[in-house]
Amino acid sequence: LRNNVCNLNLLLSMAKTSSSNEVRTLVLVGRTGNGKSAVGNSVLGRRAFKSKSSSSGVTRVCELQRTIIKDGPIVNVIDTPGLFDGTHSAGKEIVKCIDMAKDGIHAILMVFSVKTRFSEEEQATFLALQALFGHKIVDYMIVVFTGGDELEENEETLDDYLGHECPQPLKDIMILCGNRKLLFDNKTKDKEKQLGQVQQLLTLVDMVISQNGGLPFTNELFIELKEKATMRDNQQKALDSLKGYSKEEMFEIKMQMQQKYDDELKRMINMVESKLKEETANLLKKLEEERVARLKAEENYRSFQNASNDEIRRLKEDLEKANRRRDPGLPFPFNLLIPFRGRRPIPPPCPIL
């Protein structure tokens, strides 16, 4: 066991000193109950995250686990709680996620479930991530649908499922994400199928990395947090080399350094929470405006349809009245010939008719 731990530490050390392309950092986001943790466990190849069927969700805080892909990169997987389900501090978890991924995010996995209807909470998650990190964040997104076992039972493909009255907001997300999507069956016991869907996901991750020039996603928050963490770590290392301090004094100084870093995290959390509050208010306003516009459009369509039906009915009545005025004794269309009777004889209708 000690040898295995040493080998793992050696591999991790090599990864830190090598190119960032040898490490993949994936972040799982989505509504509570969609199966984010189960997807993370599938990628890791073990039950690292707590996962079970639960309406309240199991994941309470952001958590990072890692695995080493055979003949491949080290993969960091960050699981998140339902950020916008009202039971968590979204700002706190987002900053914690950034703190875990200081070197950047290689791919964000937006997890939906084919077993539940697309919700406003899921749309809010997507729009809030865009608002916080900018439009470029969509270039790093991959849409993962869980519940592949249910589609398989119904002999449906993912495209079949999406073709069944797919909500427009979900269509918009798919388009913005470059239609990068895949279906996951987290319940399968088939090892070959498990490996196949994980490999398909990692292939999409490589595609995202390639399309972004090999660079992970970062922004000002990532850069600032990394600088603060590096400063704290360097100060603590420098303190270890100093002489003349007791263990208690060194511990106290290190705690003060950590407290200063924690204060910076709190400042960022407050900033993110403030921005989220503002963006959420804007989002709710936008959704309400869209709802009102949709209802108005539906009402206008119904009014137009009713007016069209009334006009068609009126024209039909006018035509019938005109026909009766021409010759009530002859059936249509022979009564149309009555105006020409004075010009030449009109033969009687064929007896067969």
Side-chain angles (χ1 to χ4, degrees):
L1 178 60
R2 182 177 297 176
N3 289 336
N4 289 337
V5 172
C6 291
N7 290 336
L8 178 58
N9 289 335
L10 177 61
L11 286 171
L12 293 175
S13 176
M14 290 173 60
K16 289 178 182 178
T17 58
S18 61
S19 168
S20 62
N21 289 336
E22 295 182 10
V23 180
R24 306 283 188 265
T25 298
L26 315 180
V27 177
L28 297 155
V29 297
R31 182 175 61 181
T32 297
N34 277 358
K36 298 187 299 294
S37 299
V39 170
N41 289 336
S42 294
V43 174
L44 294 167
R46 66 184 190 278
R47 291 183 62 83
F49 301 119
K50 291 181 181 179
S51 173
K52 65 179 181 179
S53 298
S54 173
S55 60
S56 61
V58 177
T59 303
R60 298 296 179 186
V61 294
C62 287
E63 184 181 352
L64 183 147
Q65 296 286 344
R66 62 167 50 92
T67 188
I68 302 174
I69 304 297
K70 184 179 180 181
D71 300 324
I74 293 174
V75 178
N76 297 325
V77 181
I78 300 176
D79 192 15
T80 68
L83 297 177
F84 300 95
D85 62 2
T87 60
H88 305 90
S89 171
K92 181 178 179 180
E93 296 308 318
I94 288 172
V95 171
K96 186 176 179 181
C97 177
I98 295 172
D99 191 36
M100 290 176 173
K102 296 184 189 71
D103 292 323
I105 297 172
H106 293 88
I108 292 181
L109 309 184
M110 289 285 301
V111 181
F112 301 134
S113 173
V114 301
K115 298 181 181 181
T116 57
R117 293 182 63 84
F118 182 80
S119 68
E120 286 190 357
E121 180 192 326
E122 290 168 314
Q123 184 182 8
T125 299
F126 178 82
L127 294 176
L129 288 173
Q130 271 192 300
L132 281 174
F133 299 124
H135 183 72
K136 189 171 175 57
I137 193 68
V138 300
D139 296 337
Y140 291 83
M141 287 185 178
I142 298 171
V143 181
V144 179
F145 290 91
T146 61
D149 54 304
E150 184 165 303
L151 290 189
E152 188 173 335
E153 287 179 6
N154 296 331
E155 297 183 347
E156 281 188 308
T157 65
L158 181 57
D159 288 332
D160 292 334
Y161 167 77
L162 293 174
H164 296 163
E165 300 180 359
C166 181
Q168 189 59 47
L170 180 54
K171 288 182 181 179
D172 295 339
I173 290 175
M174 300 294 294
I175 293 171
L176 289 171
C177 294
N179 204 37
R180 293 182 294 272
K181 67 181 186 299
L182 74 157
L183 182 66
F184 249 68
D185 180 358
N186 290 318
K187 293 186 176 181
T188 183
K189 303 299 181 182
D190 187 333
K191 297 296 183 183
E192 186 175 345
K193 185 176 181 180
Q194 290 174 348
L195 292 173
Q197 60 189 16
V198 171
Q199 187 56 55
Q200 185 182 1
L201 173 61
L202 293 178
T203 298
L204 282 175
V205 171
D206 287 340
M207 181 190 301
V208 167
I209 294 172
S210 176
Q211 291 176 348
N212 288 290
L215 300 175
F217 176 83
T218 59
N219 67 359
E220 293 81 2
L221 283 174
F222 285 81
I223 295 171
E224 186 174 354
L225 266 177
K226 185 175 181 179
E227 289 176 349
K228 299 294 183 183
T230 300
M231 183 183 301
R232 176 203 58 190
D233 294 341
N234 291 339
Q235 288 174 344
Q236 291 183 352
K237 288 178 182 178
L239 180 64
D240 290 335
S241 64
L242 294 178
K243 305 296 183 181
Y245 289 95
S246 66
K247 289 184 178 180
E248 291 77 11
E249 289 174 329
M250 293 183 69
F251 177 77
E252 180 64 27
I253 295 173
K254 285 184 178 181
M255 287 299 294
Q256 291 176 4
M257 293 176 180
Q258 182 62 42
Q259 183 61 50
K260 186 176 180 181
Y261 181 72
D262 291 342
D263 290 341
E264 286 295 324
L265 288 182
K266 289 179 182 178
R267 181 184 63 80
M268 290 188 178
I269 289 170
N270 291 334
M271 181 181 66
V272 170
E273 286 284 5
S274 177
K275 188 169 183 180
L276 271 178
K277 186 177 181 180
E278 178 184 351
E279 293 300 333
T280 300
N282 292 336
L283 172 61
L284 291 175
K285 181 180 178 182
K286 180 181 178 182
L287 291 176
E288 178 62 18
E289 288 174 351
E290 290 177 352
R291 187 185 71 83
V292 171
R294 183 174 65 252
L295 292 176
K296 186 175 181 180
E298 291 173 355
E299 183 181 352
N300 290 339
Y301 175 75
R302 283 194 297 269
S303 299
F304 173 78
Q305 196 172 38
N306 292 336
S308 297
N309 291 337
D310 291 343
E311 181 67 15
I312 291 172
R313 186 165 50 252
R314 186 184 64 77
L315 291 173
K316 185 176 180 180
E317 291 173 354
D318 290 345
L319 182 59
E320 290 174 351
K321 290 178 182 178
N323 290 339
R324 285 195 296 270
R325 283 198 300 270
R326 286 191 178 97
D327 190 344
L330 288 177
F332 179 83
F334 299 107
N335 54 8
L336 299 178
L337 301 175
I338 291 175
F340 301 96
R341 279 184 174 176
R343 300 179 185 178
R344 63 179 182 177
I346 303 297
C350 177
I352 298 177
L353 297 176

